[in-house]
Amino acid sequence: MNKWWMEAVGYQIYIKSFKDSNHDGIGDLNGITEKLDYLHLLGVNLVWITPFYDSPMDDNGYDVRDYFKVSKEYGSLEDFKALLKKAKNLGIKVILDFVLNHTSDEHAWFMESKKSLDNPYRDYYIWQKPKVVDGKILPPTNWGSFFGGSAWKYDETTNEYYMKIFSDKMPDLNWKNPNVAQSMIEVGKWWLDLGIDGFRLDAVSHLAREDFVDSTFAKDTVLDWFKFSNLPDNHKYLNQLHEGLFKPYDAFTIGEVGGQASIDEAIKYASFNSNEVSMVFNFDHNWHNNIWDITDLKDIKVNVIPLKETLNKWQETFKDIGWLPLNWLNHDQPRVVSHYGHVDYHNESAKMLASIMYLSRGTPFIYQGEEIGMTNYPFKDLSEINDISTLNSVKNQIAMEPERAHQIIEKALMTSRDHPRTMMQWQHTEYAGFSTVKPWFHVNPNYTEINVFDQVNDPTSIWSHYQKLFSLRRFSKYSKTLINGTYEMILKDDPNLFVYLRKYQEETIIVIGSFSTSETIMDITNYPVGDILIHNYEDISYENNNLKLRPYETISYRIKE
């Protein structure tokens, strides 16, 4: 018996950049409500909304000041209730980001925690005494932060350091303290009682910590995520959340475990019998190209075989024991059509990438703007960057290698987390229809060519291809095969073709995608063409059992029996 989320189509909304309803240049809850009909038309029936809790916005809302309040930039609790009501009327489930690893340094718990060594909230956070060397006060360990610099921040009030593996303003919670788990369970209950359907669990692989011993990776400050990623106690804490919160509410949960979680760890997190989370997002498939070796995105090339190996590894592992999310990107990853597609074949490559991902076994999660083929922003200067992670990383790298400053900045502009955070491109009017005033961040200049308005009624558009994919999954006679069918990758060593079979009972569907800019021939002797499900060219070219695939061509069809 399938859970509802196994048959859903998910859509991530980065609220700040989605739709501004009150003309202040910032996306908001009412903007989402306004666009729910659009998402319903696309075929989406599950939305994940990034944090809109009260926050100082050091990291765009992932630094939570109060879990029970809506940040004034985004509206009010009444606005969210109205959003939830309309979503339910449209049959759209709603999940929220649940930030479990840290709070803002302006959260009431932390304000209390830093007052004194014996404050009741002291152990809500991770405090350690300084290391003193030759009379100099140093951090407790040489551990580095994901956002650059030390993972420790000194606090003069009590002469101790608090741990923060992200920003200085995001102190890490101490999950060894059972009161932290209980407090977070109460937060979760409050939102579930309001009517939401579950959570995307932010940075959930980092809740546990090793003993506070220096990393051996280097003598100086070094990012050693093995000290605070996917450790054994992480499973204990998630099990507590499952038993105390997720299970009683039958809540859907999807954990962000990054690119360092092993397959074995992922099974512990998200197999059908794990008693932790419903499924996990990983980033293993996100960087299989030559992005680190080039200076111009026009030279980007996809490492197709490693990409296939990674995606197939996850499919094979979870084929009988669990479920996977299907996603190309999120608010931290490059725009997929810029990253794995081709600038000269924008339409074709965007459709091909959609087909090979979203006809797989799992639950699609697309990121806002992906459905129209939005691209990376043409950043030219570091002053155009907003992301604290990018800025801190550049600062620290240049401090270590000042002679490489130009190259470091150039690479940061190509890979910054800000690429997917530009404004959603709704129309070809000023500010892309996102707002009537200048937005908080950039609008990609290609909004006049790439926007919802021009695509939504065009049967040849990228948007229409996405809509058809979701219709095939949810409403067609092939739904059972596309949802419940097995997944078998073939032609694993082909450097250009991405091909797999979906089988259910007597039906077999083949999904083919070409990453080549040239014509490619595929022998389909064993895969005779039956009913065509979806295709990104006007016609199909094959003869003598040879399928001729044009640049970035994709086709899916039922194999004739």
Side-chain angles (χ1 to χ4, degrees):
M1 179 71 177
N2 287 350
K3 294 275 194 178
W4 65 263
W5 39 265
M6 296 166 74
E7 300 182 7
V9 171
Y11 188 101
Q12 183 194 351
I13 295 174
Y14 192 74
I15 184 172
K16 199 172 183 181
S17 300
F18 189 62
K19 184 66 173 74
D20 169 22
S21 72
N22 63 348
H23 318 298
D24 64 356
I26 299 171
D28 47 47
L29 290 169
N30 286 337
I32 297 174
T33 305
E34 183 185 315
K35 294 298 183 181
L36 286 175
D37 289 314
Y38 161 80
L39 295 176
H40 180 64
L41 180 65
L42 179 61
V44 167
N45 61 344
L46 165 62
V47 294
W48 150 31
I49 306 173
T50 54
F52 52 83
Y53 313 106
D54 178 45
S55 166
M57 297 294 165
D58 185 57
D59 188 27
N60 288 316
Y62 281 91
D63 48 320
V64 180
R65 182 163 48 202
D66 190 332
Y67 288 96
F68 302 106
K69 286 185 180 175
V70 172
S71 192
K72 61 182 184 300
E73 296 97 325
Y74 299 140
S76 66
L77 190 59
E78 291 308 309
D79 292 334
F80 179 69
K81 289 177 180 177
L83 184 161
L84 204 55
K85 183 178 180 182
K86 182 169 182 179
K88 287 188 182 301
N89 287 340
L90 290 170
I92 297 175
K93 305 280 190 179
V94 176
I95 65 171
L96 306 185
D97 247 310
F98 200 178
V99 186
L100 296 167
N101 175 75
H102 51 266
T103 68
S104 164
D105 64 347
E106 297 180 30
H107 193 289
W109 298 342
F110 189 73
M111 302 291 279
E112 286 295 315
S113 181
K114 68 180 186 176
K115 283 182 178 177
S116 66
L117 294 172
D118 58 358
N119 188 279
Y121 284 91
R122 184 67 173 184
D123 287 341
Y124 265 58
Y125 297 86
I126 300 169
W127 293 92
Q128 289 287 300
K129 296 183 185 305
K131 191 189 293 180
V132 181
V133 179
D134 298 329
K136 188 177 179 182
I137 291 177
L138 298 173
T141 70
N142 66 345
W143 299 358
S145 155
F146 285 112
F147 284 9
S150 174
W152 299 94
K153 177 73 174 173
Y154 181 67
D155 184 69
E156 291 182 354
T157 308
T158 56
N159 188 36
E160 286 194 350
Y161 283 81
Y162 63 86
M163 193 173 186
K164 46 91 201 174
I165 60 173
F166 295 105
S167 153
D168 287 359
K169 288 183 64 62
M170 293 154 69
D172 296 339
L173 287 161
N174 176 23
W175 279 82
K176 282 187 176 178
N177 179 354
N179 291 329
V180 168
Q182 194 51 47
S183 295
M184 283 304 197
I185 285 170
E186 293 309 312
V187 170
K189 283 181 177 178
W190 193 84
W191 286 99
L192 287 165
D193 285 339
L194 209 60
I196 70 165
D197 299 285
F199 302 100
R200 178 263 191 181
L201 308 173
D202 178 65
V204 78
S205 56
H206 305 308
L207 305 185
R209 300 288 183 273
E210 272 209 342
D211 293 336
F212 301 114
V213 177
D214 279 351
S215 168
T216 56
F217 283 5
K219 286 186 178 180
D220 299 323
T221 300
V222 62
L223 176 57
D224 178 356
W225 47 74
F226 295 105
K227 300 295 186 185
F228 41 73
S229 296
N230 300 300
L231 297 173
D233 278 354
N234 230 54
H235 299 289
K236 181 174 82 173
Y237 303 142
L238 278 171
N239 183 256
Q240 290 172 358
L241 286 167
H242 180 268
E243 295 303 310
L245 180 63
F246 308 150
K247 184 179 176 181
Y249 284 85
D250 193 23
F252 168 56
T253 51
I254 183 163
E256 178 200 23
V257 298
Q260 296 302 321
S262 69
I263 285 284
D264 289 341
E265 286 299 310
I267 292 169
K268 291 177 188 174
Y269 283 125
S271 62
F272 288 138
N273 300 317
S274 71
N275 295 320
E276 293 185 25
V277 298
S278 309
M279 52 179 144
V280 291
F281 280 124
N282 77 86
F283 308 141
D284 289 8
H285 62 286
N286 283 96
W287 298 95
H288 287 303
N289 60 20
N290 62 341
I291 188 78
W292 304 106
D293 306 321
I294 59 175
T295 56
D296 190 330
L297 281 175
K298 289 179 181 175
D299 299 324
I300 206 154
K301 286 186 173 57
V302 183
N303 302 322
V304 177
I305 292 175
L307 174 64
K308 291 196 289 188
E309 287 172 348
T310 298
L311 290 169
N312 191 54
K313 175 183 69 174
W314 284 88
Q315 285 285 343
E316 281 291 313
T317 300
F318 279 84
K319 64 182 179 183
D320 297 318
I321 62 168
W323 202 252
L324 295 172
L326 307 172
N327 66 297
W328 278 122
L329 76 153
N330 63 13
H331 60 284
D332 289 333
Q333 308 293 334
R335 288 281 177 186
V336 66
V337 73
S338 296
H339 200 56
Y340 284 156
H342 197 284
V343 66
D344 294 333
Y345 298 96
H346 175 262
N347 186 296
E348 293 86 354
S349 62
K351 292 175 180 178
M352 185 276 291
L353 291 164
S355 285
I356 64 171
M357 179 60 76
Y358 303 124
L359 294 176
S360 304
R361 179 181 179 270
T363 299
F365 273 89
I366 68 167
Y367 178 78
Q368 65 185 48
E370 181 187 338
E371 74 274 22
I372 56 170
M374 280 180 62
T375 64
N376 283 353
Y377 187 84
F379 291 114
K380 301 296 182 194
D381 190 85
L382 207 58
S383 63
E384 297 176 301
I385 296 292
N386 173 73
D387 174 45
I388 187 172
S389 170
T390 303
L391 296 173
N392 283 353
S393 177
V394 167
K395 178 182 171 185
N396 286 296
Q397 286 183 66
I398 290 176
M400 290 188 288
E401 300 180 273
E403 72 283 359
R404 291 189 61 249
H406 177 73
Q407 294 99 308
I408 290 167
I409 292 171
E410 196 174 56
K411 193 58 61 178
L413 296 177
M414 291 170 66
T415 59
S416 173
R417 299 194 308 172
D418 274 339
H419 283 293
R421 302 178 183 188
T422 58
M423 303 307 105
M424 178 67 181
Q425 292 162 211
W426 294 106
Q427 296 187 19
H428 47 243
T429 54
E430 191 176 24
Y431 309 128
F434 165 79
S435 179
T436 57
V437 300
K438 187 177 181 182
W440 71 274
F441 198 43
H442 308 295
V443 176
N444 195 309
N446 64 17
Y447 74 91
T448 53
E449 292 87 39
I450 301 173
N451 60 75
V452 170
F453 183 83
D454 288 342
Q455 290 195 30
V456 76
N457 291 314
D458 176 1
T460 67
S461 70
I462 296 167
W463 189 92
S464 292
H465 191 86
Y466 270 80
Q467 186 194 45
K468 187 168 185 181
L469 282 172
F470 301 153
S471 180
L472 282 168
R473 290 189 66 95
R474 293 185 58 199
F475 307 119
S476 79
K477 62 183 180 180
Y478 306 107
S479 290
K480 281 189 166 54
T481 302
L482 294 174
I483 292 169
N484 299 319
T486 59
Y487 176 102
E488 179 190 348
M489 184 174 282
I490 59 174
L491 306 183
K492 293 179 183 178
D493 297 324
D494 191 296
N496 295 309
L497 298 182
F498 194 115
V499 188
Y500 59 87
L501 308 174
R502 301 297 313 280
K503 296 180 181 180
Y504 184 75
Q505 295 177 354
E506 301 303 311
E507 185 168 79
T508 302
I509 290 168
I510 188 168
V511 179
I512 303 167
S514 171
F515 278 87
S516 177
T517 55
S518 306
E519 184 180 277
T520 308
I521 304 296
M522 179 180 165
D523 181 355
I524 55 170
T525 303
N526 297 323
Y527 315 106
V529 177
D531 297 338
I532 294 167
L533 278 68
I534 192 166
H535 186 220
N536 66 340
Y537 277 79
E538 285 186 10
D539 57 0
I540 296 165
S541 177
Y542 70 97
E543 58 183 342
N544 300 326
N545 292 321
N546 283 328
L547 180 64
K548 294 180 181 178
L549 294 162
R550 287 151 288 197
Y552 290 93
E553 186 163 2
T554 183
I555 179 172
S556 178
Y557 61 86
R558 187 180 192 273
I559 294 172
K560 193 184 293 182
E561 294 173 12

